């Protein structure tokens, strides 16, 4: 069944959000802040490492230049390739001296020198860089190499970079440790700041949710909910939202008050007009009925006109009564509720409908035991009678109309089902609105209709705290009334024709 065409919507229920749950703005902000801190820390670490490497290489180049200059100042010095290195010679230094007679190549180690491998000597002689250059010497580590010419030949000096690389590795581990500490601190700090900063926004969302669950469709509406002054300070972003929200609520409350005043005036006018029209219409009907005594003596056209006057006055009387009932329900929807036997009431209503519509096929499915509902017996009878009259009026002769009463889950359900042509799609969504008219395909009698029958059904059921559902398609139109039980029943349905 389709839901009851009551105004309003189901209340909004928002589950509590985890502070940094998936998809939350808080998590996104924390992730972005941490990523920003990580990127900045990585860039700073990389820049620091590159700067340190540049400084260390510059220091090695300075030592390299000094070693070359020492070799130039002492050409052919016996100590240059003897057992003892020249002052300032580093462990691991490679020295190659080329003169007209021979090539001298040594690798200075702890406590003396060592013969340099032939392939390393050849590699250095082939390179002979005139600017400090990094090279990986065969069988050795990375070296910084520089060659310089002198009057006595060529001097090639290579200094190891192992200490530079060791220092850079230590620096890199330090940078990684600082990076981890920075990211951890950023996570903790960002989480604390973001959670605290979003609390006003969460309070604003809570207030908005409370307002969205208010019934604003009818009646006098008061909006006591407002965002707190601390969260409505336009000096900050969230406060501007809160301030705008409060201003919007003020406007909405004023608009609803204006609407309520207008509706009250309209309802009062309808009620007053309906009440005032009752007596003139009763007089017109009485005088029209009085003319029946002498109609046989009147011309045919006069008799027809008097008959139409009587029929239209009757129709207008029904319309006025329906409008007056709706106005009363709008003004004061309270009813005289009492335990009422829905089975007996439905059986009586179907019996009346069977007399009024002998050309339809009527059936009921009623439980053996009474189904007691909390209802106004007269108003509930009128609701069922309206639905039966609707089925009789808007379906062709021979249509089967079935009425049933069931109970489950603390609710009584009264269904009125017919196998007529169904309600057209164009009117199905507005069937319970006032003065809604069925199309010609579902109107098959000349019986007058005020267009207020289903509106009365919806209004009375709403006043009962119940609902009415509609499910319609060709060959199947079902209205379902649901209202609370006066007491728990256990019933078994049986068929009555």
């Amino acid at each position: 069944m389709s839901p009851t065409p009551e105004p309003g919507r189901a209340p909004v229920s928002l589950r509590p959000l985890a502070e940094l749950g998936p998809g939350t703005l808080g998590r996104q902000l924390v992730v972005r802040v941490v990523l920003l801190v990580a990127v900045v820390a990585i860039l700073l670490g990389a820049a620091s490492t590159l700067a340190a490497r540049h400084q260390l290489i510059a220091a090695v180049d300075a030592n390299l230049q000094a070693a070359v200059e020492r070799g130039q100042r002492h050409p052919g010095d016996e100590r240059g390739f003897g057992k003892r290195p020249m002052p300032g010679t580093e462990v691991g230094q490679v020295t190659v001296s080329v003169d007209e007679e021979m090539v001298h190549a040594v690798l200075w180690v702890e406590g003396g020198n060592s013969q340099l491998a032939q392939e390393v000597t050849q590699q250095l002689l082939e390179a002979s860089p005139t600017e400090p250059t990094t090279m990986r010497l065969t069988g050795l580590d990375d070296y910084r190499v520089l060659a310089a010419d002198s009057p006595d030949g060529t001097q090639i000096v290579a200094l190891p970079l192992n200490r530079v690389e060791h220092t850079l590795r230590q620096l890199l581990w330090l940078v990684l440790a600082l990076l981890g500490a920075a990211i951890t601190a950023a996570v903790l700090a960002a989480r604390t700041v973001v959670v605290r900063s979003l609390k006003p926004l969460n309070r604003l969302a809570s207030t908005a949710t409370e307002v969205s669950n208010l019934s604003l469709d009818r009646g006098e509406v008061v909006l006591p909910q407002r965002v707190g002054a601390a969260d409505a300070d336009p000096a900050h972003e969230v406060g501007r939202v809160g301030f705008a929200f409060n201003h919007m609520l003020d406007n909405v409350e004023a608009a609803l008050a204006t609407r309520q005043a207008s509706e009250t005036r309209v309802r009062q006018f309808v009620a007053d007009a309906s009440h005032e029209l009752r007596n003139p219409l009763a007089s017109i009907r009485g005088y029209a009925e009085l003319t029946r005594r002498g109609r046989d003596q009147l011309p045919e056209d006069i008799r027809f006109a008097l008959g139409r006057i009587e029929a239209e006055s009757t129709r207008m009387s029904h319309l006025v009564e329906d409008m007056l009932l709706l106005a009363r329900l709008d003004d004061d929807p309270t009813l005289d509720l009492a335990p009422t036997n829905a089975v007996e009431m439905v059986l009586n209503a179907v019996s009346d409908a069977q007399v009024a519509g002998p050309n339809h096929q009527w059936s009921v499915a009623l439980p053996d035991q009474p189904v007691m509902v909390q209802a106004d017996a007269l108003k509930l009878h009128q609701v069922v009678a309206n639905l039966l009259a609707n089925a009789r009026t808007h379906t062709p002769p021979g249509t089967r109309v079935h009425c049933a009463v069931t109970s489950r889950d603390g609710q009584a359900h009264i269904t009125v089902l017919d196998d007529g042509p169904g309600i057209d799609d164009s009117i199905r969504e507005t069937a319970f609105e006032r003065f809604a008219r069925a199309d010609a395909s579902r109107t098959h009698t000349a019986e007058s209709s005020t267009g207020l029958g289903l509106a009365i059904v919806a209004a009375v059921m709403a006043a009962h705290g119940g609902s009415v559902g509609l499910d319609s398609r060709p060959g199947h139109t079902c209205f379902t009334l649901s209202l609370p039980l006066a007491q728990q029943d256990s019933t078994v349905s049986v068929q009555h024709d």
Side-chain angles (χ1 to χ4, degrees), residues 22-354:
T24 59
L25 179 60
R27 170 175 286 194
Q28 296 178 23
L29 290 174
V30 170
V31 169
R32 292 172 183 177
V33 169
V34 171
L35 287 177
L36 180 61
V37 170
V39 170
V40 171
I42 291 172
L43 292 177
L44 289 176
S48 300
T49 303
L50 291 176
R53 184 180 183 278
H54 178 74
Q55 294 296 325
L56 292 172
I57 293 295
V60 172
D61 289 347
N63 293 336
L64 185 63
Q65 188 67 40
V68 171
E69 292 176 355
R70 285 195 303 271
Q72 290 176 336
R73 287 196 301 269
H74 304 281
D77 191 333
E78 182 180 356
R79 292 184 302 168
F81 299 98
K83 296 298 182 181
R84 290 178 298 132
M86 288 187 298
T89 301
E90 297 182 15
V91 175
Q93 176 179 321
V94 173
T95 303
V96 177
S97 179
V98 182
D99 54 27
E100 296 178 354
E101 297 180 359
M102 59 182 303
V103 175
H104 301 279
V106 295
L107 169 64
W108 295 102
V109 294
E110 193 73 33
N113 59 39
S114 175
Q115 186 68 31
L116 189 64
Q118 181 64 35
E119 56 270 22
V120 177
T121 303
Q122 187 63 34
Q123 183 181 359
L124 292 172
L125 291 174
E126 291 177 355
S128 297
T130 58
E131 295 292 336
T133 304
T134 300
M135 295 179 58
R136 176 169 286 276
L137 301 184
T138 304
L140 301 175
D141 293 328
D142 289 338
Y143 273 73
R144 196 72 171 167
V145 181
L146 177 62
D149 295 330
S150 64
D152 297 327
T154 301
Q155 183 87 2
I156 302 174
V157 179
L159 294 180
L161 294 177
N162 53 355
R163 282 184 293 181
V164 173
E165 293 174 350
H166 177 71
T167 302
L168 290 177
R169 281 194 295 269
Q170 288 183 326
L171 179 60
L172 182 60
W173 283 113
L174 178 61
V175 167
L176 291 176
L178 293 176
L179 177 62
I183 292 177
T184 302
V187 170
L188 297 177
R191 187 182 189 280
T192 302
V193 171
V194 167
V195 169
R196 290 181 179 178
S197 299
L198 290 181
K199 283 184 177 179
L201 193 59
N202 290 328
R203 290 193 293 267
L204 176 60
S206 177
T207 303
T209 302
E210 292 178 6
V211 173
S212 69
N213 287 331
L214 295 176
S215 179
L216 307 178
D217 56 286
R218 63 173 58 192
E220 185 176 356
V221 177
V222 179
L223 300 177
Q225 291 81 359
R226 289 294 187 276
V227 178
D231 298 333
D233 183 2
H236 53 84
E237 288 80 357
V238 176
R240 291 174 69 88
V241 176
F243 179 82
F245 186 76
N246 282 346
H247 184 65
M248 180 189 69
L249 290 181
D250 292 338
N251 288 339
V252 169
E253 189 172 43
L256 291 175
T258 302
R259 183 216 64 184
Q260 175 61 20
S262 177
E263 289 183 356
T264 301
R265 288 193 296 270
V266 171
R267 289 170 181 166
Q268 188 62 42
F269 169 77
V270 171
D272 293 342
S274 300
H275 181 75
E276 294 298 328
L277 287 173
R278 295 173 71 183
N279 291 335
L281 286 173
S283 299
I284 294 173
R285 288 181 60 186
Y287 283 115
E289 292 173 358
L290 184 62
T291 60
R292 292 180 183 177
R293 300 177 181 179
R295 285 188 189 180
D296 294 339
Q297 303 175 6
L298 298 176
E300 180 66 27
D301 56 343
I302 301 298
R303 291 202 304 271
F304 176 79
L306 291 175
R308 294 306 305 154
I309 291 173
E310 182 178 354
E312 290 302 315
S313 62
T314 301
R315 178 176 176 274
M316 288 187 65
S317 296
H318 291 162
L319 175 61
V320 167
E321 292 295 334
D322 289 345
M323 292 175 62
L324 188 57
L325 174 60
L326 286 173
R328 289 171 177 170
L329 289 174
D330 288 338
D331 183 59
D332 184 11
T334 56
L335 301 173
D336 185 14
L337 300 179
T340 302
N341 187 354
V343 174
E344 180 180 358
M345 183 272 303
V346 168
L347 186 60
N348 292 334
V350 173
S351 299
D352 296 341
Q354 190 171 12

